[in-house]
Amino acid sequence: MKFRAERTEFAEAATWVLRTVGARATLPALSGVRMEVAGDRLLLGSTDLEISSTLSIPVQAHRDGVALVPGRLLGDVVRSLPNAAVSADADADRLHLECGNARFDLRLMPLEDFPSLAAASDDATPAVMKADEFAARVAQVARAASTDDARPVLTGVYVEATADELVLAATDSYRLAVLTLGWQQDVEGTVLLPRRALDEARRSAEQLGSEVRIAFEDSQVGFDFGDRQLVTRLIEGSFPPFRQLIPSGYERRLEVDRADLIEVVRRVSVVGDANTTATPVTLHLSADTVRVTAGSGEIGEAEESLPGVLEGDDLQIAFNPRYLTDGLDATGTQQVALEFRDDLKPAVIRPTDETDDSETPVDFLYLLMPVRL
Amino acid sequence: MTGTRPAEPILHVDMDAFYAAVEARDDPRLRRRPVVVGGTGGRGVVASASYAARRFGITSAMPMAQALRRCPSAVVVEPRFDAYRAVSADLHDIFRSVTPLVEPLALDEAFLDVGGSVRLLGAPVDIAVDLRARIAAELGLPASVGVASNKFLAKLCSRKAKPDGLLHLPADRAEAFLAGLSVGELWGVGQQTGQRLADVGVRTVADVRAIDVAALTRLVGAAAAHKLHALARGRDDRCVDAAVDAKGLSAEQTFSTDLVRADEVRDTLLALCDRVARRLRAAGVRARTLTIKVRDRDFTTRTRARTVAVATNETPVIQAVVDELLPTAWSPPTPVRLLGVGASQLIPADAGVQLDMFASPRWQDVERVADRVRDQFGDAAMTRGVLLGRDRPVNRASSHDDLSSAPDG
């Protein structure tokens, strides 16, 4: 394998595939980046067995071939390269890299231990979304997924795709985000995607722009960004029947400025114990005012009020401040509605207006379990 | 929990020839030989001498050259303070597992007030027996323990118990026990004071008791006189001064036969999770951080911790976290000598409970009822199906609960 590449392009490509390099000590080969020269392109790939990434960049190819390069080392090298063209030449066990006057001689890893990289099948017709829209929708929902591996199903984002609708849902059992997006696509499938895979896809979409083609298959989902692809395995198990958790009505409804409420909650929750983000904030709702309080006699107390219009009886209800601001953040519109039954039943945050600047119809809700005081 | 405070709640634990014992443990060739730990350079002094070396008259702080003249065949070992500190940390963990009231005096020595632990762990003397057994089993080292009504007497007892012994001094026998001791054994009586007393014929504790405070004051000054007067009668009202940091609580179990099977390890952990959860509930707290501890046959100890989003005191939640941590700390068939489950970052249970949309409130009710049954009828009254037949494991060298912050003490 021998090629010559443009430095910035090579460095950026290597950095991108490094995101899915495996960290497991049990399979050392996963810590490698696969490099292949075929035709006039350099193909880079990595996998942690859950998510695989592949991309290709144009190079001056001198000799086809394949090599497995230690990922972290490659990353350190490309970050430090001087600004000049990069020449690479791999023999049986070494990769020689030259850039300007710098020379690196990297020991290769045994290629035979590296798993074959997952690729999207050509049969599946992908759904096509604008990259920024995709990124925004994922960001709204994925944050509600659990980061706790104790309940693997909850670390996933539920995705239900049909010809005219895409439903995304995620929950860590304390809050639930559900987004329904109208679209016209020739796809159908219900899958549970690792939150981490969706976050990687979102970051790539934000970075690359343009379009994302999403291919739903039986055992995997592919995200295609043109010359780069992410393929993720699915989480097994069934996502909890979340629709039955969504209350069908409410007894109280508050309309409030979203950014104002976020700001007040963040400020007041400063008196919470820094070690336990779980120190709740309490909302005291009355006809035209929301009073937010937090803290305890031991640490300190804070309160602040802001205007809000309440329909229904006064209510006092407490939440984990981070879960509350996450939900307000995700809702996106200038005004939001919070629907309540009582202080121990789930609250629902919804957008109230159409200031959301997307051209497609979107329905979003964020259900939030209160803290019992 | 309330209970009657026992008459002799104070333990003084002191390791025997600590550095030398650690060296002998780690190098079997040193066992039973005169071992001297200390600097070998020109002005090196003895930091610790094994009992075999002490028979030659070697004592701590003696110049190394002099020690070697007394016993030329002694094995001199360079001190490994890092190793001693590591053992010391484990030792103090064991101390804190029986009471939060631990006053460390040295790497290898501490006072413990176990007055609050008797309801859970038994009489102080039983706790002392168990402590020595655990120190032997878990650390492979000898310790001497004194059990008495106050710090002064407990320390006196541990000294009399050495090496590798236990001495329990019932409060009503303290005066008789003291009477025959020489004045020099009273705390704070140095050579000068001792000489001044000897000059007037005061040699034993009984002699001290025979003269009044005024006479004593003329001899040794007011402060020392009052102290002597009290100590000679076995009185010492200083309390165990624990630098308490309410870090958390834990439950551990050491096995007389190492565990190798995954199902045994899991079942034991479940029982430990259950105990920790129950004690969290009894203490009215929830924990955000859960820890698993696995000690191998060769004393290699691994602890793994995880902080959960919502503080818990429920067995299934703790167990789920522990299950997930286990593969990172242990894989079969590595023989396991000790297992532990710990809970820390405690917050009051009533600080607010994050409700869970999938949690069945019934589970919490089940646990609450089970707690009440076990409080009333003992631990064996109610158990999980999977633990049936294992509640009194034959293979249980020692088992204990760490009370370091539970207010049930």
Side-chain angles (χ1 to χ4, degrees):
Chain A
M1 178 183 79
K2 191 172 175 185
F3 66 87
R4 194 175 162 83
E6 200 273 312
R7 186 201 72 111
T8 317
E9 200 169 22
F10 178 63
E12 195 277 318
T15 309
W16 190 80
V17 291
L18 277 170
R19 288 181 187 174
T20 59
V21 157
R24 269 180 252 190
T26 46
L27 241 179
L30 296 184
S31 66
V33 169
R34 186 182 189 275
M35 296 175 76
E36 176 174 6
V37 172
D40 58 353
R41 295 190 79 85
L42 169 67
L43 310 166
L44 296 175
S46 72
T47 180
D48 59 11
L49 293 184
E50 184 171 69
I51 314 172
S52 307
S53 56
T54 51
L55 92 171
S56 73
I57 55 170
V59 292
Q60 278 178 40
H62 299 296
R63 189 174 70 247
D64 286 4
V66 194
L68 188 62
V69 189
R72 262 186 55 193
L73 185 56
L74 180 67
D76 292 343
V77 167
V78 298
R79 259 193 302 282
S80 59
L81 288 179
N83 198 3
V86 180
S87 297
D89 186 356
D91 60 25
D93 62 345
R94 302 252 162 195
L95 174 70
H96 310 281
L97 272 182
E98 285 190 31
C99 183
N101 290 325
R103 276 170 182 63
F104 294 91
D105 199 26
L106 311 183
R107 181 160 191 154
L108 297 176
M109 301 169 72
L111 190 64
E112 56 274 18
D113 299 340
F114 194 71
S116 59
L117 289 168
S121 103
D122 296 333
D123 321 339
T125 310
V128 184
M129 276 181 88
K130 283 195 170 148
D132 54 356
E133 162 112 45
F134 170 80
R137 298 309 164 211
V138 169
Q140 276 182 286
V141 176
R143 69 179 90 201
S146 175
T147 51
D148 184 349
D149 294 328
R151 287 190 277 186
V153 166
L154 299 188
T155 63
V157 175
Y158 173 88
V159 180
E160 188 183 289
T162 60
D164 53 9
E165 210 173 66
L166 174 72
V167 178
L168 302 177
T171 178
D172 60 5
S173 85
Y174 310 118
R175 62 261 177 80
L176 162 75
V178 183
L179 182 136
T180 309
L181 180 73
W183 70 2
Q184 300 300 318
Q185 306 277 354
D186 187 17
V187 294
E188 198 157 72
T190 300
V191 294
L192 198 50
L193 295 183
R195 170 200 178 141
R196 210 168 54 80
L198 266 179
D199 276 338
E200 286 300 346
R202 174 185 55 77
R203 285 170 59 188
S204 297
E206 282 165 358
Q207 180 191 341
L208 302 167
S210 185
E211 286 179 348
V212 193
R213 307 169 85 80
I214 309 164
F216 293 90
E217 294 176 58
D218 289 344
S219 61
Q220 62 182 35
V221 165
F223 301 92
D224 190 332
F225 302 92
D227 61 0
R228 42 188 98 186
Q229 294 81 35
L230 282 170
V231 176
T232 177
R233 283 184 19 177
L234 307 179
I235 294 179
E236 288 177 21
S238 47
F239 196 69
F242 62 91
R243 288 185 174 93
Q244 68 192 44
L245 297 168
I246 302 167
S248 53
Y250 54 82
E251 285 164 30
R252 300 167 173 87
R253 183 173 182 277
L254 171 77
E255 266 199 53
V256 66
D257 184 279
R258 185 179 65 96
D260 287 355
L261 182 55
I262 291 176
E263 199 179 317
V264 167
V265 169
R266 290 219 170 109
R267 196 153 41 227
V268 165
S269 61
V270 163
V271 294
D273 183 346
N275 289 323
T276 63
T277 50
T279 307
V281 291
T282 305
L283 308 186
H284 309 257
L285 310 177
S286 55
D288 56 2
T289 306
V290 183
R291 191 163 63 91
V292 184
T293 62
S296 65
E298 279 175 46
I299 302 156
E301 286 156 22
E303 75 159 90
E304 186 171 347
S305 296
L306 72 160
V309 179
L310 179 70
E311 181 189 313
D313 296 338
D314 290 6
L315 177 70
Q316 186 174 323
I317 185 167
F319 297 106
N320 174 318
R322 191 166 64 81
Y323 296 165
L324 177 58
T325 51
D326 269 359
L328 293 167
D329 216 29
T331 306
T333 55
Q334 198 193 330
Q335 292 278 310
V336 290
L338 285 81
E339 300 168 357
F340 308 94
R341 284 188 188 273
D342 62 38
D343 61 340
L344 297 178
K345 298 265 171 46
V348 177
I349 307 177
R350 297 179 192 270
T352 57
D353 45 22
E354 296 298 328
T355 50
D356 193 299
D357 53 4
S358 88
E359 58 249 50
T360 44
V362 180
D363 188 17
F364 178 77
L365 75 84
Y366 184 94
L367 181 150
L368 174 58
M369 295 300 291
V371 170
R372 187 180 65 215
L373 292 177
Chain B
M1 280 187 205
T2 54
T4 329
R5 189 169 163 83
E8 299 92 30
I10 308 298
L11 272 50
H12 179 255
V13 186
D14 194 7
M15 304 298 284
D16 302 319
F18 182 53
Y19 301 166
V22 173
E23 295 303 335
R25 180 193 80 181
D26 293 349
D27 183 355
R29 288 170 305 174
L30 300 180
R31 285 181 199 159
R32 279 184 291 278
R33 297 192 55 188
V35 176
V36 180
V37 177
T40 47
R43 270 174 288 175
V45 294
V46 175
S48 171
S50 70
Y51 278 84
R54 291 180 195 197
R55 277 198 286 278
F56 292 90
I58 299 176
T59 61
S60 293
M62 177 181 279
M64 188 59 80
Q66 187 186 346
L68 286 174
R69 276 196 297 278
R70 292 195 177 187
C71 177
S73 63
V75 185
V76 180
V77 183
E78 282 277 351
R80 297 178 298 143
F81 290 107
D82 285 347
Y84 311 147
R85 267 191 290 274
V87 176
S88 174
D90 285 342
L91 179 67
H92 284 83
D93 279 349
I94 295 177
F95 293 161
R96 277 187 294 271
S97 73
V98 297
T99 172
L101 297 175
V102 176
E103 179 179 342
L105 297 174
L107 279 185
D108 64 329
E109 184 186 355
F111 283 119
L112 282 63
D113 182 339
V114 299
S117 312
V118 293
R119 165 114 185 238
L120 204 64
L121 302 176
V125 69
D126 296 332
I127 295 175
V129 168
D130 192 46
L131 265 181
R132 278 175 26 85
R134 283 186 57 210
I135 293 168
E138 295 174 28
L139 305 178
L141 295 170
S144 295
V145 183
V147 184
S149 52
N150 59 43
K151 283 163 64 163
F152 159 64
L153 292 172
K155 183 157 177 145
L156 211 52
C157 286
S158 72
R159 202 194 306 159
K160 294 284 176 196
K162 280 182 175 298
D164 199 11
L166 185 155
L167 184 59
H168 171 216
L169 178 61
D172 55 10
R173 286 175 41 201
E175 291 212 13
F177 171 81
L178 285 169
L181 299 181
S182 79
V183 175
E185 300 203 54
L186 293 183
W187 208 338
V189 177
Q191 266 187 346
Q192 274 196 355
T193 311
Q195 192 57 49
R196 240 175 270 161
L197 292 170
D199 288 346
V200 295
V202 176
R203 290 194 172 79
T204 68
V205 175
D207 295 340
V208 176
R209 245 184 260 161
I211 52 178
D212 62 21
V213 184
L216 264 180
T217 304
R218 281 191 298 278
L219 281 167
V220 298
H226 277 98
K227 201 168 118 189
L228 276 178
H229 182 82
L231 291 183
R233 285 156 185 78
R235 290 203 290 264
D236 175 16
D237 55 7
R238 293 166 305 160
C239 54
V240 171
D241 185 11
V244 184
D245 55 322
K247 282 191 300 197
L249 49 82
S250 68
E252 295 184 352
Q253 192 167 333
T254 306
F255 310 104
S256 47
T257 310
D258 296 343
L259 298 190
V260 291
R261 286 191 8 226
D263 59 337
E264 293 176 324
V265 168
R266 269 201 207 92
D267 289 353
T268 306
L269 284 173
L270 170 57
L272 293 172
C273 288
D274 205 20
R275 245 153 73 196
V276 165
R278 187 179 157 213
R279 303 224 347 275
L280 288 169
R281 293 194 292 273
V285 292
R286 293 168 184 271
R288 286 198 72 221
T289 300
L290 301 163
T291 313
I292 176 176
K293 179 168 169 184
V294 180
R295 181 168 294 156
D296 292 349
R297 174 181 288 166
D298 64 358
F299 288 98
T300 309
T301 306
R302 280 175 303 278
T303 56
R304 300 285 182 271
R306 171 175 277 263
T307 299
V308 294
V310 172
T312 185
N313 58 18
E314 285 165 47
T315 306
V317 180
I318 296 174
Q319 191 203 351
V321 174
V322 163
D323 258 359
E324 193 197 321
L325 290 173
L326 179 61
T328 67
W330 179 74
S331 56
T334 314
V336 177
R337 176 188 186 81
L338 172 149
L339 286 171
V341 171
S344 52
Q345 282 215 71
L346 307 182
I347 57 168
D350 60 7
V353 181
Q354 170 67 55
L355 301 180
D356 182 324
M357 58 185 93
F358 305 121
S360 143
R362 277 186 51 221
W363 180 257
Q364 293 168 13
D365 290 343
V366 166
E367 297 213 313
R368 226 168 285 138
V369 170
D371 285 353
R372 229 171 291 147
V373 170
R374 286 183 293 204
D375 281 345
Q376 205 166 346
F377 301 105
D379 275 0
M382 200 164 202
T383 190
R384 269 152 225 282
V386 66
L387 297 176
L388 277 177
R390 291 177 208 262
D391 251 22
R392 306 224 175 276
V394 182
N395 177 22
R396 173 188 264 197
S398 73
S399 159
H400 72 280
D401 290 316
D402 180 333
L403 292 175
S404 58
S405 80
D408 46 308

